[in-house]
DNA sequence: ACGGATCGTTTGTGTAGCGCCAACCATTTA
DNA sequence: TAAATGGTTGGCGCTACACAAACGATCCGT
């Protein structure tokens, strides 16, 4: 067996028992657990997990168009509309027509939105403690940082992996 | 605009003290992107993301009962049945009655299952490269390790937050 | 200035994932 | 022997989405 084994000279010896471990499934698993726990603590704030994701994205990059948002969230444009309707109805975000292109809506967090987001994040601490219970605080910070950096990568838009790849490369 | 960035100077030790950033939304976001990309590369193998999650869990802890699995996956018992039906139909897992309690099914990965899992992980490398493109290989290893450790924490079963949670502490 | 593209919006349809309930074996335990 | 438990099946229902069509407002190329 060909083991991946990229030089991992840093942290405590990775177990790498045998094969090709990927983070995908773990990410999925953990995100699910987090989402389940989050729903309950978020409910009293009138938010659902996906709202939080949207708000978080908006805080990080103010002044996006809706299709920009659709791009980063990787959800259909029509669904963005509904999502923003929810948020705007509570005054958490604002849609303004772009001056340069008046077809476009520039979406941004309102003061109330930023406040609500902080409250939500605060409430989320509980859920996070449960789900990430196995990690030390410092490790959680590392995790956060890695996730943040990974998320800011461009949205993989379209043609670039140009498919048709032999993919057996591994 | 109070955009985070409070005093972060003096005292290198305690890192994230600024705002209330939580990993939850990022985890959600990233997992979604990963899942979307994964579906396509997984399809030719006859697997879907959630199968991968199950297989991964099973590899890490062989010999679980189905309700144990339901616990770690945090999905309803009835859905575990269907999930395992899929996997067993392809000979990737095995259900055997437990000797100590013959009501119970002990689920384990077959040789074919382990093989398929490796192939899938191999195929996933493509998706992972796209989604985690912003991270260096070493960082991906760190991420993997953190996710793995976090996932192995017990499933939050029940009473344990018994700390009479102050909750509003934050 | 006209026609075609583009952004946002509404409405409607379809599908997948999943919780939940109820009924039913086989088995274990009281 | 009765009650509880693990697994299984079937059915109901909800939520999150994708996808398509049609429409107003706006931009842009010719």
């Amino acid at each position: 067996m060909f083991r991946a084994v990229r030089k991992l000279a840093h942290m405590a010896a990775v177990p790498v028992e045998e094969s090709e471990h990927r983070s995908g499934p773990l990410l999925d698993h953990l995100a699910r657990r987090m989402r389940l726990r989050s729903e309950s603590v978020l409910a009293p704030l009138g938010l659902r997990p996906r709202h939080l994701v949207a708000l978080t994205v908006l805080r990080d990059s103010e002044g996006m168009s809706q299709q920009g948002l659709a791009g980063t969230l990787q959800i259909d444009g029509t669904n963005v509309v509904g999502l923003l309707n929810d948020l705007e109805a509570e005054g958490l975000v604002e849609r303004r027509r772009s001056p340069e292109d008046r077809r476009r809506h520039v979406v941004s967090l309102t003061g109330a939105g930023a406040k609500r987001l902080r409250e939500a994040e605060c409430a989320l601490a509980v859920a996070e403690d449960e789900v990430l219970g196995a990690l030390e605080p410092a490790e959680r910070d590392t995790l956060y940082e890695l996730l943040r950096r990974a998320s800011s990568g461009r949205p993989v838009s379209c043609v670039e992996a140009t498919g048709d790849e032999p993919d057996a490369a591994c």
Side-chain angles (χ1 to χ4, degrees), chain A:
Chain A
M1 314 234 183
F2 39 82
R3 327 181 331 166
V5 185
R6 318 138 199 267
K7 65 287 288 274
L8 42 85
H10 51 130
M11 65 188 307
V14 176
V16 192
E17 295 122 23
E18 39 180 87
S19 45
E20 264 300 331
H21 304 241
R22 290 291 153 205
S23 330
L26 291 177
L27 209 47
D28 209 333
H29 181 203
L30 215 52
R32 173 183 175 73
R33 302 213 335 214
M34 184 75 83
R35 189 153 21 83
L36 286 175
R37 299 308 295 157
S38 301
E39 269 159 10
S40 45
V41 302
L42 247 37
L45 286 156
L47 295 172
R48 264 155 327 150
R50 106 192 53 91
H51 295 131
L52 254 277
V53 178
L55 290 178
T56 305
V57 166
L58 283 176
R59 176 181 54 198
D60 288 358
S61 57
E62 197 88 5
M64 278 189 120
S65 76
Q66 294 191 198
Q67 62 171 21
L69 203 54
T72 27
L73 294 183
Q74 297 268 276
I75 65 179
D76 190 276
T78 64
N79 295 312
V80 173
V81 176
L83 190 50
L84 289 184
N85 284 348
D86 292 351
L87 295 176
E88 197 172 38
E90 300 222 6
L92 307 180
V93 303
E94 233 177 12
R95 286 191 251 218
R96 276 166 306 190
R97 305 229 77 116
S98 161
E100 317 104 12
D101 184 344
R102 298 180 35 74
R103 289 170 300 181
R104 198 165 303 186
H105 274 167
V106 168
V107 185
S108 52
L109 224 54
T110 64
K115 181 158 171 292
R116 191 66 125 326
L117 177 52
R118 277 197 306 277
E119 291 166 3
E121 284 175 323
C122 170
L124 278 183
V126 178
E128 190 172 305
D129 275 352
E130 290 181 6
V131 176
L132 302 184
L135 300 183
E136 314 271 332
E139 292 175 316
R140 296 188 203 178
D141 290 343
T142 307
L143 179 61
Y144 173 80
E145 195 52 30
L146 288 174
L147 293 175
R148 200 190 52 70
R149 299 234 337 267
S151 301
S152 31
R154 50 63 193 107
V156 193
S157 53
C158 354
V159 238
E160 48 115 313
T162 37
D164 312 293
E165 272 311 306
D167 89 41
C170 183

